[in-house]
Amino acid sequence: MIYSFCLLCCMISAGSGTYNSGYLKTKVIPELEECSSTVFNDPLSHSTSLNVISCGVECSSDETCRRFMFDSQTNQCTLFDSGENCITDETIANKVCYRQEFVCNEKNCSRCPIGYYGDQCQHIITDCGNVSSTITLPDRYMLVFIRPSDAGPVLEVKCLGKKTIIHHRTKFCHDVDFNRTWAEYREGFGKVHGEYWLGLKHVHKIIQNNGQECTLRVQLHFNPVIQAVQYQSAVLTNQSDSYRILLSGSNARVNETDYLTGGAYSIDGRPFSTYDRDSSGYSCPGRFNGGWWYPENVNCSLINPVGRRSYDGSEDSFRWDDLQLTSTQFYALRLFLSC
């Protein structure tokens, strides 16, 4: 998480009081032209403003706004309901992005960045399910700030209601290379608006915070079918035990595929492997081009959620195999953690 020292302040009057709104300048990130804005975040509104201050006032006046982007060439002001950075498929040189730090009156701060709470926005939730009475996360995708560890960093994650998305892949936009080191898989990487891996140490901490009582949902999008399986208990051991995963309580029905714990391809009890710390026994991270809890099987895994998007039938493609090892490519894949 990188914060800029540039702070924009806007004064607005509402009802009987005056409110001070603070904004931190963040990044404008270029996106591929063919990408849809719905991939990274739907805007609340588009309008024309005189300048960046006017755009900030407009955001402050909208109770659902937490971020805005201003284009000095077109004077277009775009408001968003959450998030840190702004994504665009247009020229970024004339655009600026600000995310809200606070909205306060003379007594307290009534509107904080999503994930923060308290009269001075001094507290932060540990995961999407760790909500305060002052925070309501709607049952839709939102960008939310969390801090799994008191001494750890603030993370921006994607939430679906009370579910924390710990891994997100899609065929379109933000093509992230998942052939990473052990340290990168431990710390996390990628772009929260597109594809990302939250980080093994953060997932371990979230589960630990909740007394090892978390549910893992695996959701696969084939075009146009969505398939999912849920595990009522998901536990991740610590780094010294190679972040071994323990899964139980699958809700897969008879004749449905249990993607992770079914038969000879079960990952239950398996350590995490990367190309520089391989516990698979069959060089699976190198063959699949990514880190994962690989079964102890010569075919490595039926599912490759960290594979490459180019589909040529090879082991390292972003795909799922049936029991006859016939490959089908994903449209998208998400791992949800509910605690």
Side-chain angles (χ1 to χ4, degrees):
M1 218 49 167
I2 299 175
Y3 297 115
S4 169
F5 290 103
C6 180
L7 182 66
L8 174 72
C9 291
C10 303
M11 302 294 292
I12 58 172
S13 295
S16 59
T18 299
Y19 291 81
N20 181 32
S21 299
Y23 292 89
L24 291 168
K25 189 175 184 180
T26 59
K27 298 178 182 178
V28 180
I29 300 173
E31 181 56 283
L32 300 174
E33 185 176 354
E34 59 268 25
C35 291
S36 166
S37 64
T38 57
V39 172
F40 43 82
N41 210 14
D42 277 330
L44 290 170
S45 65
H46 296 288
S47 62
T48 300
S49 291
L50 291 175
N51 51 45
V52 66
I53 299 293
S54 299
C55 188
V57 171
E58 187 173 339
C59 183
S60 298
S61 301
D62 185 332
E63 291 186 357
T64 59
C65 182
R66 296 294 192 282
R67 171 171 54 99
F68 72 87
M69 181 169 64
F70 180 72
D71 188 317
S72 59
Q73 182 174 340
T74 63
N75 283 0
Q76 185 177 73
C77 176
T78 307
L79 308 185
F80 301 88
D81 66 358
S82 61
E84 173 85 0
N85 300 306
C86 299
I87 314 295
T88 181
D89 60 6
E90 301 173 338
T91 303
I92 69 172
N94 49 299
K95 294 178 173 62
V96 291
C97 183
Y98 285 87
R99 70 101 168 155
Q100 185 186 88
E101 187 183 31
F102 55 76
V103 172
C104 306
N105 60 17
E106 294 82 0
K107 296 181 180 179
N108 56 50
C109 301
S110 59
R111 195 198 317 169
C112 304
I114 296 178
Y116 287 85
Y117 64 99
D119 58 357
Q120 297 297 319
C121 303
Q122 70 270 35
H123 304 300
I124 185 169
I125 60 177
T126 58
D127 63 85
C128 300
N130 174 230
V131 294
S132 161
S133 59
T134 59
I135 298 176
T136 301
L137 295 181
D139 193 22
R140 59 184 176 84
Y141 292 106
M142 296 198 76
L143 301 174
V144 178
F145 296 108
I146 68 171
R147 179 185 277 158
S149 174
D150 290 341
V154 175
L155 308 172
E156 185 182 20
V157 300
K158 189 171 287 184
C159 297
L160 177 59
K162 294 184 178 182
K163 303 180 185 69
T164 306
I165 299 181
I166 62 175
H167 179 45
H168 182 230
R169 295 293 309 276
T170 175
K171 278 184 63 178
F172 305 108
C173 308
H174 282 319
D175 193 0
V176 172
D177 183 6
F178 281 80
N179 193 23
R180 304 287 185 118
T181 64
W182 174 268
E184 289 173 295
Y185 270 97
R186 181 188 64 222
E187 300 296 325
F189 57 87
K191 301 178 176 68
V192 70
H193 293 85
E195 300 186 321
Y196 75 97
W197 177 270
L198 181 58
L200 292 164
K201 76 174 187 180
H202 305 307
V203 175
H204 168 70
K205 187 61 179 176
I206 290 172
I207 295 174
Q208 187 181 56
N209 288 340
N210 289 278
Q212 311 285 42
E213 295 181 0
C214 294
T215 296
L216 181 71
R217 177 181 174 85
V218 183
Q219 187 167 291
L220 307 176
H221 295 239
F222 304 99
N223 199 5
V225 178
I226 298 177
Q227 297 183 14
V229 63
Q230 187 162 292
Y231 303 88
Q232 286 304 116
S233 175
V235 175
L236 201 62
T237 64
N238 58 27
Q239 179 175 223
S240 63
D241 195 35
S242 298
Y243 293 116
R244 194 177 303 273
I245 194 167
L246 305 170
L247 297 173
S248 61
S250 168
N251 70 342
R253 297 189 295 262
V254 177
N255 298 325
E256 284 187 340
T257 301
D258 179 350
Y259 300 105
L260 301 187
T261 62
Y265 293 93
S266 174
I267 71 170
D268 181 39
R270 294 296 296 160
F272 198 83
S273 288
T274 57
Y275 69 80
D276 61 337
R277 187 167 168 168
D278 186 3
S279 302
S280 70
Y282 294 96
S283 302
C284 296
R287 289 161 56 187
F288 277 54
N289 264 299
W292 189 243
W293 297 277
Y294 292 102
E296 193 173 3
N297 189 294
V298 66
N299 292 315
C300 293
S301 179
L302 288 179
I303 185 174
N304 190 5
V306 292
R308 300 185 186 280
R309 290 186 193 162
S310 55
Y311 184 68
D312 57 8
S314 63
E315 287 185 313
D316 67 353
S317 60
F318 182 42
R319 52 96 180 112
W320 168 74
D321 292 352
D322 61 21
L323 291 177
Q324 286 72 45
L325 301 183
T326 301
S327 295
T328 304
Q329 190 175 27
F330 302 131
Y331 177 82
L333 177 143
R334 297 179 181 93
L335 300 185
F336 300 89
L337 193 65
S338 300
C339 301

